[in-house]
Amino acid sequence: MTAPEPNSFPRLAPGCRLNEKAQQPRVLLLPERALRLNGPSLEIVERCDGRHTVAEIIAELQKIYSKAKPEKVEQDILGYLALLRDQRALDFANEKPGLEKASEFP
Amino acid sequence: MSAASMGPLALVAEVTHRCPLHCVYCSNPLELTKRARELPAGVWARVLREAAELGVLQADFTGGEPLARPDLEELVRAARHAGLYASLITSGLPLDEKRLDELVGAGLDHIQLSFQGAREESANEFAGAPAHAQKLRVAEWVKKRRVGLTLNFVIHRRNLEQLGEMLALAESMGPGRVEFAHVQYYGWAFANRERLLPTREQLDRSLEILRDAEERLRGRVRVEYVVPDYYAKYPKACMGGWGRKVMLVTPGGDVLPCHAANVLPGMTFENVETRPLREIWEDSDAFRKFRGEDWMPEPCRSCDRRALDFGGCRCQAFLLAGDAAVTDPVCSLASRRGLVDAILAEVNSAAPAHLKPTSEWLYRPNPA
């Protein structure tokens, strides 16, 4: 399993999205499956919007989880992003996309 | 926590039995629901809301061919408004780019497009309709839009030699996910089983190719496959357990624990027109019948695997052994395993006459 590139921009792949904010529990919906998200995994997935690099996501979570060892946070995030990539839940772009129209729903 | 209190995760919405295809392995029942008996969109909208309240996360629109309903967009919109993930399981007929835009605009999350193979002539033969070329076009259109795409190749004795070509086709289309589904023997597939069931050699080779593809495409395309359980050592956890994760609503509103349950004699299914979905899920006789472990016979009752495969498939037990309450005969521990071995022995014997290429398919017709 190769680790995601720190300068790439992860973004939820077509057909993958979070359920609505008001819905509990929060889940990542994928074709024919759903992944339940806990605190840190939700923090990560919410930042996979094509505008944060992998490195930025790591830095932001290291701040939020400042009591945890930074290297541990980094490793966990890289592992989780690789897992989501292998589920085909994430695409990784090399550059920030132009201002694309966000999903119009609802 | 009991299964009923867990709540289902997926609602299979069989919105019509009408279909432009006539596939020889269609999973629909032999007795198809007529158009005049199909639930109107308003009732579906209520059913989708009730499903979401029950904890369902995903609505799978299937059929027949859901596109045969002109109000499918309305159903997709209703699913999204209820907070559900909306998935369309389709042959891709009849569809054009304008309608695809309308469906995506309505909030459709994912399209699962079926293929009958990689070669046009034989794919059209299995589908009983000239559908293959249109499916290739539809895959291109879907790729241009922001919507999930799964390609689903249905595989069996007569097209397994094309597996490499199917993989190449899938790779060239670049979907997020590709599924290779060995035919499961229910409905029309059960009727055509002799011509569809692969040999052991074919099966082993196909699994080798698929395992290799899964590895090679990791991170690019999610490769999944379903094996024909006649060859398995243990049965599949059918529907993730009876009345445990999934509920299916037929075109006429009957609520079933699985696609094939209406073959089971003596079962009555309740209808969304007469009872709330939650009550049907929690209390109806059909959902309670094989839920949990109380119904289990030996060897399931004392088997370590009972929480993994739930005794296998009730419909398969009935179709093969004539009794829905026995251990699935595909299980190597089942007293009725001999029934399956006899079928496999015949399929794997040297070139029996009925396995030669033949045009004598039993095609699924269209309901009135």
Side-chain angles (χ1 to χ4, degrees):
Chain A
M1 191 162 74
T2 52
E5 187 58 40
N7 295 320
S8 62
F9 296 83
R11 178 192 186 192
L12 289 177
C16 305
R17 65 177 170 87
L18 285 162
N19 62 350
E20 312 294 328
K21 279 208 170 72
Q23 291 176 303
Q24 288 299 332
R26 298 302 304 280
V27 291
L28 178 58
L29 297 161
L30 320 176
E32 288 204 11
R33 73 180 59 169
L35 301 176
R36 204 168 171 149
L37 302 174
N38 61 17
S41 57
L42 180 62
E43 300 280 3
I44 296 169
V45 171
E46 280 181 330
R47 286 168 174 76
C48 293
D49 55 3
R51 293 166 205 293
H52 292 74
T53 62
V54 170
E56 285 165 353
I57 295 173
I58 291 169
E60 290 190 17
L61 265 85
Q62 283 170 335
K63 265 186 215 159
I64 297 173
Y65 296 95
S66 56
K67 284 181 188 159
K69 278 194 185 151
E71 313 84 72
K72 172 87 168 82
V73 173
E74 175 173 3
Q75 267 179 17
D76 286 354
I77 293 174
L78 289 174
Y80 191 60
L81 292 176
L83 181 142
L84 292 179
R85 177 196 57 202
D86 291 351
Q87 295 271 324
R88 290 301 294 115
L90 289 180
D91 290 327
F92 292 80
N94 290 324
E95 47 199 79
K96 205 182 275 199
L99 273 183
E100 193 182 316
K101 253 198 308 184
S103 164
E104 281 155 40
F105 192 86
Chain B
M1 198 161 55
S2 76
S5 65
M6 263 172 51
L9 297 174
L11 177 84
V12 179
E14 253 180 19
V15 294
T16 181
H17 276 159
R18 289 176 285 141
C19 188
L21 269 56
H22 308 286
C23 298
V24 294
Y25 37 66
C26 180
S27 64
N28 282 163
L30 301 186
E31 196 167 324
L32 298 162
T33 303
K34 295 186 174 78
R35 178 180 196 158
R37 288 202 48 230
E38 290 176 6
L39 294 179
V43 176
W44 274 113
R46 172 175 61 76
V47 169
L48 292 161
R49 279 196 304 276
E50 289 183 1
E53 284 162 17
L54 201 42
V56 165
L57 297 171
Q58 306 209 341
D60 296 336
F61 291 104
T62 181
E65 173 50 63
L67 293 167
R69 285 188 68 132
D71 56 3
L72 181 62
E73 290 76 353
E74 208 178 322
L75 303 184
V76 169
R77 212 172 284 118
R80 288 299 307 263
H81 276 292
L84 300 173
Y85 182 93
S87 196
L88 170 63
I89 296 163
T90 182
S91 68
L93 281 80
L95 186 64
D96 57 28
E97 289 196 87
K98 181 170 170 288
R99 183 142 196 228
L100 180 58
D101 281 333
E102 285 165 2
L103 286 162
V104 174
L108 187 65
D109 286 297
H110 170 243
I111 294 177
Q112 177 176 310
L113 182 61
S114 68
F115 278 87
Q116 279 66 46
R119 298 178 199 158
E120 180 164 10
E121 193 182 340
S122 64
N124 290 346
E125 180 196 334
F126 307 136
H132 187 75
Q134 163 76 359
K135 288 162 182 274
L136 297 175
R137 283 192 290 275
V138 170
E140 290 298 317
W141 298 338
V142 174
K143 279 295 289 177
K144 283 192 271 173
R145 288 159 175 84
R146 196 160 169 80
V147 60
L149 175 62
T150 292
L151 304 178
N152 177 289
F153 288 86
V154 185
I155 53 178
H156 49 81
R157 181 182 189 96
R158 294 280 308 282
N159 70 2
L160 268 176
E161 85 282 1
Q162 304 175 23
L163 187 54
E165 292 161 61
M166 292 185 232
L167 269 164
L169 183 60
E171 265 187 87
S172 74
M173 291 176 182
R177 179 168 171 265
V178 61
E179 190 175 77
F180 291 90
H182 269 282
V183 168
Q184 303 282 312
Y185 297 98
Y186 304 96
W188 298 86
F190 191 75
N192 285 303
R193 186 184 63 197
E194 290 184 346
R195 285 178 283 277
L196 291 169
L197 196 60
T199 63
R200 181 173 292 279
E201 200 184 333
Q202 277 186 306
L203 173 66
D204 289 347
R205 178 76 189 116
S206 76
L207 294 181
E208 220 172 278
I209 293 172
L210 290 169
R211 275 193 279 263
D212 172 70
E214 191 182 16
E215 221 29 66
R216 189 167 49 82
L217 297 175
R218 189 178 301 282
R220 285 192 287 149
V221 184
R222 202 169 112 202
V223 179
E224 293 183 1
Y225 44 92
V226 176
V227 300
D229 56 2
Y230 282 38
Y231 282 101
K233 190 171 176 197
Y234 300 114
K236 61 180 176 285
C238 198
M239 308 306 280
W242 183 276
R244 206 169 153 270
K245 288 188 166 171
V246 183
M247 59 199 319
L248 177 143
V249 179
T250 69
D254 285 349
V255 189
L256 276 54
C258 74
H259 298 75
N262 46 19
V263 302
L264 303 179
M267 297 276 280
T268 46
F269 299 105
E270 302 207 38
N271 195 285
V272 295
E273 301 263 38
T274 51
R275 221 178 160 191
L277 209 54
R278 177 180 295 278
E279 285 184 23
I280 298 176
W281 172 259
E282 290 175 354
D283 291 331
S284 69
D285 290 343
F287 275 84
R288 290 159 65 120
K289 178 99 179 160
F290 298 113
R291 183 180 269 152
E293 297 179 0
D294 289 347
W295 66 273
M296 284 183 182
E298 291 293 355
C300 297
R301 184 176 275 275
S302 57
C303 181
D304 287 345
R305 296 183 53 85
R306 68 185 185 280
L308 296 176
D309 57 33
F310 311 99
C313 174
R314 299 303 87 227
C315 304
Q316 188 146 273
F318 172 72
L319 287 169
L320 292 174
D323 183 351
V326 297
T327 299
D328 189 335
V330 305
C331 182
S332 55
L333 305 171
S335 61
R336 316 298 289 276
R337 172 69 206 189
L339 295 165
V340 178
D341 289 334
I343 294 164
L344 295 184
E346 188 162 337
V347 167
N348 287 286
S349 65
H354 69 262
L355 291 175
K356 288 185 183 142
T358 168
S359 58
E360 291 165 36
W361 294 110
L362 182 60
Y363 284 107
R364 166 220 201 273
N366 227 342

